[in-house]
Structure formats: structure tokens, C-alpha cells
Amino acid sequence: MPPQQPEVSAATDPAAPLDITRLLTTITDNLVGMIYRCRIDAIWTMEYVSDGCHKLTGYRPDELIFNNRVSYDQMTLPEDRARVGRAIHAALEANEAFDVEYRIRRADGCIRWVLERGVGLRNAHGQLAWIEGFIQDISERMAANEALHEAVRRYRSLFEHATEGIFQTTPEGRYLNANPALARIYGHDSPDTLIEHLHDIPRQLYVSPERRAEFVRLMQEHGVVRNFESQVYQLDGSVIWISENARAVKNTDGSVQFFEGTVVDITERKQHEAELEHQASHDSLTGLPNRSLLRDRIDQAIVKARRHDRRVAVVFVDLDHFKLINDSLGHHVGDRLLLEVAARLTSCIRSHDSVARQGGDEFVLVLTEQHDENEILAVIRRLLETISQPWVNDGQEYGLSCSIGISCYPQDGDDPDALLRSADAAMYKAKESGRSTYHFYTPELNQAISERLELENSLRHALERDEFRVYYQPRVEVASGRIVGAEALIRWECPGKGLILPDSFISIAEETGLIIPIGQWILQEACRQNSAWLRAGLPPISVSVNLSPIQFRHAGLVQSVADALQQANLDPACLELELTESFVMHDAERINVAMQSLKALGVDIAVDDFGTGYSSLSYLKRFPVDRLKVDKHFVRDIDSDPDDAAIVRAVISLGHALGLKVVAEGVETRAHLDFLHQHGCDELQGYYFSRPVPAAGMEVLLRGLANDACHGQTLTDPRAADARRCREQIFE
Ligand code: C2E
Ligand code: MG
Ligand code: MG
């Protein structure tokens, strides 16, 4: 069957002649919108409206024409009426067509936006009598416009009120747009002044123009940057940190049109980060680099030295007797001292060297780019000299000194740990060699360090294993030649090591706190022994016990002295306590109080090693001291060194002037004895009379004395001294 041809009506027959009226009617009836003619009267009386009226207004044409049911003016929203009227009349007067948008209320009550376009028509007399025009519903477009406006308004508000800076810039570095926050971040009054002033972003804004170059490079390559941090200048020249997030907006051909993005000021965060980093890598008291940063510094120095064939010296500096100051004067004074030392050390080095605090009273210097040992030595001498300047705190002067150990890259280690270990070992060696000195690392030192550690370990068990012994060294009265006292001196009988002298372990005992139980033990033992001698009928003597400053600071000291006396049932007058001079002068006030309580028990107090510290006469006068013990180093050369002789003479007269007895230690020869005798020293102690001997030996000495006394001989008598020395040999 052939396809059916659509029936061709006369109206659609293309061959039919054009009927303009019919065509216009078709258009008019089918238009979305309403064609009209109205009178130019107060209520716009419609004379004609097209069929579109119904759809537009909800009223049928006949209801509107001649205001049959409603006038067009009524339909227009009252708020819009006056404006519409004015617009139309103005156009009519100007003989122009008009375009006006307003709202109408439809028959169903809902409100629609319409656009009315019209033109005035004149009557036969040439007077404006009608308007002909077209009204269409534009509600949808208006809603879309409104939404668009709303969106723009919202974005504008975001842009204006954002706390982040927002920008658009050309790739060359000019601003196209900036928001108030950006202006604020960069220190400008407004976006306009910012845009006007900043026309060369790479050079005017970025502290380092290369940073901007990097920004542009990333943008070109990836079209975006994230959290891009840079330092920039504010208008007044101050520098802040910013972080940028941005993207490249491209043309259709792919070329960059502009960059847009956001900026936040991260200066505070950066400062905070820097602070945290500083805290993590620096010592909080002195502000010096701490251990971890020190390792970095040594590492860096090694890398550099390797490249330039130089040396690095790692210098371990340990304050002598810091624990003493810290324990006796309190931590606040200790802290002040550490600050002082930090400043002094820093003053001794060049800018590319470092000083770090390793912990406690230990500092480490890293000397870079050293050519040879002499160069290092020059710095070390400067250090020793600078540190040994007296330190004045609260009007009181203190002598300072330090012990220094040095290790060098490359020979003593090629990493921070090895160099620090070596320098530490060398420092211990310096301490052993009498402090206030330096020592370079040698491989043998490793051995010494492990021995020290071993010693420390054994010391911890020495008391419970009953390895301590007390030796006694007699103190002889010059006037009578009799033994009037004995100093209790500790010895350690360490299995496999023999008899160890106190200088080798007292400082370890002090550092480890073991000195408290050890000190208490010797106090009890000395009191018990003295009491036993008395009960055995030997001539009464006073036993002297050395007290460590650490014991002195310990709250239980007075009680433990009282306990020792009571347990031994010993007359307090038979016990003397010795304190070293350097300690007595630290924190004199507090020590005076403690001394007074000891004194109140009835014991005697002696200032030991007198002449080595920094005594203030006024303190000495106020302290309840009974004896001054002249340090043995002054006695050694009294017969040959005029300075030492003068010092000893001065100490004797000073002691006497203060009403104190003066004891000389280290009396080894007849010449010593004669000199001291001649200058009025009261009591003597030294190898000339006896080395320190065990209790049994002391007992023999005391018995011998009793016998000798019967024979009219005294210990200051040369014959008696010789005879006694023979006896003593038996016990040594
Ligand atoms: P110190 O209290 O000044 O004791 C005197 C030191 O000089 C003793 O050394 C003694 O043996 C030594 N000495 C005595 N006469 C002579 C002499 O004629 N020539 C020479 N060159 N030396 C002589 P020691 O027994 O080795 O004690 C050393 C230091 O150890 C003591 O010095 C004292 O400060 C400390 N010490 C000893 N025992 C104790 C103790 O039980 N507790 C505390 N805290 N320290 C103690
Ligand atoms: Mg002593
Ligand atoms: Mg002494």
C-alpha cells in the first residue's frame, strides 16, 4: 500500500494566496502573551485584548475589555502602579515606545512579573488617545535573574567579608582584583590602594622573588598550588608568612588568563612552630642548643670538615664542684651560675662554632674548621681563663673552675656519639688530674672510663658487703707533744683491688648519693671506736669525722650525729666534725644555722683544707668553729717556699686572733715541725707522726703514748717519733 499523503487543506495549501489578516489572527491568537489596545485614561481601559489574555491574567478577554469585570489598572499591583504610569507617560510625551516591567495579580490571586512594550497612538486630531502594545509573562526570567543576583550578592559578601585574602592576578604580577581581607593582610587601607600600589608582585611583595617564580612555575605546570608558604612584605616593610591556595584560570586556547586564589596570614603559626622547634632543640634555662641539636651541629661540622680537610674539636666542659654550689646554695643560685657559665663560654667562641648544654653542669663546644692542635689549645686556654674569673652573686664572690675534655674528628671518632664519648672520657681524666685543667682524648681513656663505671657499681654494694674500713691518723698537740685527737679516714677494701683511698671514690659516692649512708656509717663507727678506747682506759682523745657537703645539706644530719653519739654513749666533746672551707663559704647563712645546731649537741667543728677556699673573715668570726686545719699543700713547702710560709704564718695568726686552734695537716718532716712549732701552730697531723692506721694501730699508738708519757717522752720528741714510726710499720 502506498504511504498516505496527509490531507492538504486549502488553508495549508502552499499554492493558496497569502491571507495577511488570517495570518495575523493566527499569530495573535497563539501568542504567549497578550496584544492589546487601551485608552490612555486613569484605568487603562482595554478596547482590545488578544486570546493570550486568559493565559496571562486568568481573565477572559471579555472580562477585561471595557473593564467589564476588572480594569487593567486594578490588576497592576498597587506598589507598581505609579512607577508604571510615570514610565508610560514619559515615553508617550517623548514620542517613544516604552518598555516597563511590573507585577500583576492574576484572577487566581497569584502574582506574576510582566514586561509591557507599547507605543502611543494618536486620534484624528493628533492627540494621544490609545496605546497599542504587548504584555508578556517574564516571571521565570525574573526569578532566574533574582536567583542570579542573590548568588552574586552572596559571593560578593563572601568576597568582601572573608577572613581569607582573595585575589586575582595576572601571571606577570599585577592585581586584577583583591578583597578587603587581602588588603588588610598586606597592610593596605583598601583593596584599591593595594591594587594601585602593588604592580610588581614578584619584587614588591615577595621577600624572595624566586618564591613567586616558583609559584608561577607550579601554576603553569599544574594549574594549581596548595598551601604554598612564602614570606612577604607588608606595606610598612614588616615581613609576614602567608599560605596561598590558588588556581590558574585559562583561556580556551589553554593560555593562562589569570591566577585566582586565597591567602592566609600564617605568621603566628610559623612563630609558634619556630618556638616549638626552638624548645625541642634548645635548653630552656640557658637557651643554648640541647643534646639533639648538638648532634646535628657535630654532624654538620663533620661534613664540612671532610670537604675541606679540616678538623672538628668536640670540647666537653664540666664545672668543678657545681653539685656543691647547687646543693648548698639552692637551685636558683645554681641556675644563675649556669647562665653565667653559658654566657662566658659563648663569649669564647667564633660565630660558626657552637656551645650546647649537654645537661646538668656539662657543656659541649663544637669548634669547627680547626687546622691543628695549637689552634684548639688557644681556645681551651681562653675557656679556662674565662671560666676561672671570680663570680659575684648577691655580693658574695665565688671561685669557679672547670674540667675540659677534648676529642677531635677524624682521629677520635667520625660520628657525634663517638666524639662525645671520647670527649667525655677525656673530661673525666681532666677531673682526675686535679680539675681546672684539660685533657685530650687518648684511646687508653676508654679503659679508664669503664673502670670508673665498674667502681661505681661495686661502690653500691660496698656498705652491705662490709668493705669499708676506718683508719685513724693522730693529731698531736705541739705544746704537750701528746696525741689529743685522731682523724677518722675512710678506706675501701675492694675485693681484687686492694685498699682504695677516699679520693678515688668519695666524689662518686657524692654524685650517686651513696655518701649519705656511707657518711652515717663512718660517724657511728668512729664514735663506737672512740668510746671503746675510752672504756679500755686509753687517754681520752677527740675523733674527727669528715663531713661531705652533701651530708650537710641532708636534713637528717643533726639527728644522725646525735644518734651516733647516743648509740656509742660518747661524750660529744670527744667528737669533732670537719667541713671543707670551700663548702663552708657557700651559703654561709644557712650553713651557720646548721652549724649552730650541731654545735648545740656539744661537738667541735673544724674547717678543713683551710686556705684553699675563699673565706670571709666576718663569717669565720660568726661561725661556731673551734679549729682551722691548714691545708697540707701549704705545709709541704713551708721550709722552701716563702709564699707558703707566709700563708701558713698568716693563717696561724688569723686563727689565734679569732680565738681558734690552728692545726697543720701534712706535717712530714722535722723541718715542718720546727717551723710550725716556732710560729705557734697548736696541733699537728702528718706522716711525720703517723700515717693513717687501722684502729688497732691507733690503739698501739695511744698505749705507746701512755707508756712514753711515763718515760717523759712525747711525740714531738724526735726519738719518740722514730720509735713510733717503727711500731706503726707493723700496721701499715
Ligand atoms: P682530709 O680530710 O684533708 O684528710 C687528710 C688527708 O691527708 C688524708 O688523705 C691523709 O691520709 C692525708 N695525709 C695525712 N698526713 C699526710 C702527710 O703528711 N702528707 C700527705 N701528703 N698527706 C697526708 P686521705 O685519707 O686519702 O683522705 C683524703 C680526703 O678524703 C680527706 O682529706 C677527706 O677530705 C676525704 N675523706 C676521707 N675520709 C672521709 C670520710 O669518711 N668522709 C668524707 N666525706 N670524706 C673523707
Ligand atoms: Mg679532714
Ligand atoms: Mg684536709
Side-chain angles (χ1 to χ4, degrees):
M1 219 170 54
Q4 265 196 347
Q5 291 293 322
E7 206 182 315
V8 178
S9 75
T12 55
D13 182 357
L18 180 64
D19 180 344
I20 291 291
T21 311
R22 194 179 43 80
L23 175 66
L24 284 177
T25 306
T26 307
I27 293 172
T28 310
D29 291 348
N30 292 293
L31 258 182
V32 182
M34 164 178 109
I35 294 174
Y36 71 91
R37 171 194 271 217
C38 73
R39 294 179 188 160
I40 304 177
D41 60 13
I43 52 170
W44 312 110
T45 303
M46 293 289 174
E47 290 186 355
Y48 166 78
V49 294
S50 65
D51 283 356
C53 171
H54 192 227
K55 195 152 184 226
L56 181 76
T57 66
Y59 294 99
R60 289 190 318 273
D62 62 288
E63 290 177 311
L64 186 58
I65 289 170
F66 296 117
N67 310 319
N68 274 343
R69 186 173 155 203
V70 63
S71 76
Y72 194 71
D73 190 56
Q74 263 175 302
M75 222 186 290
T76 305
L77 275 204
E79 304 87 298
D80 292 354
R81 275 178 207 152
R83 175 173 61 81
V84 173
R86 275 197 306 275
I88 295 175
H89 284 294
L92 293 179
E93 267 157 42
N95 253 335
E96 283 171 359
F98 62 85
D99 249 4
V100 60
E101 291 172 354
Y102 55 90
R103 291 160 295 175
I104 59 168
R105 187 184 297 279
R106 281 168 47 93
D108 59 11
C110 74
I111 291 168
R112 307 292 293 178
W113 272 97
V114 295
L115 164 66
E116 178 176 346
R117 289 208 162 116
V119 61
L121 274 187
R122 294 178 185 273
N123 59 18
H125 308 293
Q127 292 161 328
L128 280 168
W130 304 277
I131 296 171
E132 285 182 351
F134 181 65
I135 300 173
Q136 72 191 111
D137 190 323
I138 57 164
S139 297
E140 249 104 78
R141 201 190 80 205
M142 287 304 268
N145 263 356
E146 182 51 32
L148 194 67
H149 275 123
E150 180 56 29
V152 170
R153 243 196 324 275
R154 233 181 275 142
Y155 283 121
R156 192 76 217 165
S157 166
L158 270 180
F159 182 76
E160 294 292 325
H161 299 110
T163 49
E164 296 189 340
I166 303 173
F167 65 82
Q168 284 178 333
T169 62
T170 65
E172 295 71 38
R174 270 184 167 281
Y175 278 98
L176 298 171
N177 220 335
N179 72 341
L182 191 78
R184 220 171 23 247
I185 291 171
Y186 293 161
H188 291 263
D189 289 340
S190 70
D192 290 345
T193 56
L194 170 105
I195 293 170
E196 192 186 329
H197 177 259
L198 272 177
H199 42 78
D200 182 359
I201 293 176
R203 262 167 286 275
Q204 285 180 292
L205 185 65
Y206 285 78
V207 171
S208 141
E210 296 79 55
R211 197 66 190 142
R212 170 68 182 188
E214 172 67 5
F215 176 91
V216 173
R217 188 187 67 74
L218 288 172
M219 283 300 222
Q220 307 280 16
E221 268 173 34
H222 307 291
V224 51
V225 296
R226 297 250 172 274
N227 305 322
F228 187 83
E229 297 183 353
S230 326
Q231 280 184 294
V232 297
Y233 291 114
Q234 286 183 313
L235 182 61
D236 66 2
S238 40
V239 172
I240 58 166
W241 274 98
I242 57 161
S243 169
E244 290 173 276
N245 281 292
R247 67 178 194 110
V249 176
K250 301 203 171 159
N251 290 314
T252 40
D253 64 0
S255 61
V256 173
Q257 195 182 352
F258 56 84
F259 302 145
E260 65 179 14
T262 58
V263 169
V264 277
D265 182 344
I266 55 164
T267 312
E268 241 173 64
R269 195 192 84 205
K270 281 281 181 189
Q271 277 166 351
H272 190 60
E273 279 171 9
E275 258 165 47
L276 286 181
E277 204 181 299
H278 192 270
Q279 275 167 19
S281 59
H282 289 75
D283 166 47
S284 61
L285 173 67
T286 59
L288 292 177
N290 63 10
R291 276 163 197 267
S292 71
L293 187 55
L294 169 68
R295 273 169 180 69
D296 287 353
R297 295 270 167 95
I298 299 177
D299 257 334
Q300 286 163 17
I302 290 175
V303 170
K304 239 176 153 179
R306 203 173 277 150
R307 214 179 298 138
H308 299 108
D309 198 21
R310 295 277 162 82
R311 292 167 168 220
V312 177
V314 172
V315 180
F316 218 104
V317 179
D318 187 287
L319 280 184
D320 296 333
H321 308 298
F322 175 72
K323 194 166 167 49
L324 192 72
I325 295 186
N326 210 32
D327 285 352
S328 55
L329 299 190
H331 294 297
H332 61 292
V333 180
D335 283 356
R336 248 182 270 162
L337 174 58
L338 290 172
L339 280 170
E340 171 71 19
V341 170
R344 289 188 188 186
L345 292 175
T346 309
S347 75
C348 291
I349 56 161
R350 299 163 304 173
S351 59
H352 50 267
D353 295 335
S354 310
V355 186
R357 181 162 174 223
Q358 166 85 350
D361 59 342
E362 295 173 343
F363 295 85
V364 174
L365 281 72
V366 185
L367 308 179
T368 56
E369 297 175 33
Q370 300 295 320
H371 290 93
D372 56 29
E373 216 160 79
N374 286 333
E375 213 176 328
I376 298 170
L377 261 183
V379 182
I380 301 302
R381 293 212 180 90
R382 200 159 63 234
L383 282 175
L384 282 169
E385 158 83 25
T386 310
I387 292 296
S388 64
Q389 300 298 315
W391 176 56
V392 181
N393 179 57
D394 283 347
Q396 175 85 41
E397 198 173 286
Y398 300 92
L400 303 179
S401 69
C402 63
S403 302
I404 295 179
I406 309 134
S407 66
C408 292
Y409 166 84
Q411 66 269 35
D412 304 331
D414 58 4
D415 65 67
D417 284 332
L419 286 168
L420 283 167
R421 250 196 329 271
S422 303
D424 192 20
M427 190 277 293
Y428 267 107
K429 183 69 190 165
K431 279 243 187 277
E432 263 176 39
S433 335
R435 300 170 194 247
S436 193
T437 186
Y438 63 88
H439 211 284
F440 277 90
Y441 173 79
T442 58
E444 299 78 61
L445 283 180
N446 276 340
Q447 173 69 17
I449 289 298
S450 46
E451 276 171 13
R452 193 199 124 94
L453 283 175
E454 204 183 308
L455 203 67
E456 188 177 317
N457 252 339
S458 322
L459 190 64
R460 293 185 186 279
H461 305 289
L463 203 55
E464 72 208 38
R465 291 179 185 155
D466 198 21
E467 291 169 2
F468 291 117
R469 307 283 172 263
V470 187
Y471 275 41
Y472 295 90
Q473 188 179 34
R475 206 172 68 228
V476 177
E477 189 180 55
V478 178
S480 64
R482 291 171 201 283
I483 295 176
V484 288
E487 180 169 8
L489 293 160
I490 194 164
R491 303 292 181 256
W492 177 18
E493 227 172 66
C494 185
K497 291 207 170 65
L499 204 64
I500 303 180
L501 291 176
D503 282 341
S504 310
F505 65 87
I506 289 290
S507 61
I508 303 178
E510 285 177 336
E511 278 163 34
T512 51
L514 288 168
I515 193 70
I516 300 292
I518 295 175
Q520 196 170 342
W521 175 82
I522 193 166
L523 200 58
Q524 285 169 351
E525 179 55 22
C527 289
R528 188 200 59 74
Q529 183 59 67
N530 201 13
S531 180
W533 284 328
L534 278 171
R535 274 185 277 115
L538 292 169
I541 56 164
S542 152
V543 170
S544 308
V545 174
N546 292 285
L547 284 188
S548 156
I550 310 289
Q551 283 173 277
F552 213 83
R553 203 171 151 67
H554 197 251
L557 176 69
V558 178
Q559 191 56 48
S560 72
V561 172
D563 289 348
L565 286 168
Q566 203 213 340
Q567 278 163 23
N569 194 18
L570 184 71
D571 178 0
C574 294
L575 177 65
E576 182 177 65
L577 300 173
E578 292 190 10
L579 281 164
T580 54
E581 184 200 11
S582 52
F583 165 68
V584 170
M585 285 307 136
H586 286 141
D587 198 11
E589 282 311 326
R590 237 169 38 92
I591 285 173
N592 193 11
V593 173
M595 269 195 196
Q596 301 286 359
S597 337
L598 284 173
K599 193 66 202 154
L601 294 176
V603 300
D604 274 1
I605 291 176
V607 176
D608 203 357
D609 303 337
F610 194 79
T612 54
Y614 290 81
S615 282
S616 144
L617 292 182
S618 62
Y619 282 135
L620 258 189
K621 198 167 154 231
R622 280 164 45 208
F623 285 160
V625 172
D626 303 281
R627 275 184 190 75
L628 294 184
K629 294 188 83 173
V630 186
D631 191 69
K632 57 176 175 281
H633 295 102
F634 299 110
V635 174
R636 195 178 55 202
D637 299 323
I638 31 174
D639 45 346
S640 56
D641 184 331
D643 287 345
D644 283 350
I647 290 173
V648 173
R649 277 200 309 272
V651 173
I652 295 171
S653 20
L654 167 74
H656 288 165
L658 293 170
L660 309 176
K661 287 240 161 80
V662 179
V663 187
E665 300 180 318
V667 179
E668 291 186 357
T669 64
R670 181 77 211 174
H672 291 163
L673 167 65
D674 290 343
F675 179 96
L676 292 160
H677 189 181
Q678 189 190 338
H679 291 97
C681 187
D682 304 285
E683 292 168 0
L684 310 174
Q685 185 180 333
Y687 296 168
Y688 182 71
F689 305 105
S690 171
R691 286 182 176 266
V693 291
M698 187 66 206
E699 188 176 329
V700 171
L701 280 175
L702 287 172
R703 283 193 198 288
L705 181 74
N707 292 335
D708 292 342
C710 296
H711 295 109
Q713 285 186 339
T714 68
L715 272 180
T716 43
D717 181 325
R719 283 169 303 153
D722 288 342
R724 186 223 10 90
R725 265 203 300 280
C726 288
R727 286 200 294 269
E728 182 199 302
Q729 307 280 308
I730 308 164
F731 304 102
E732 267 289 81

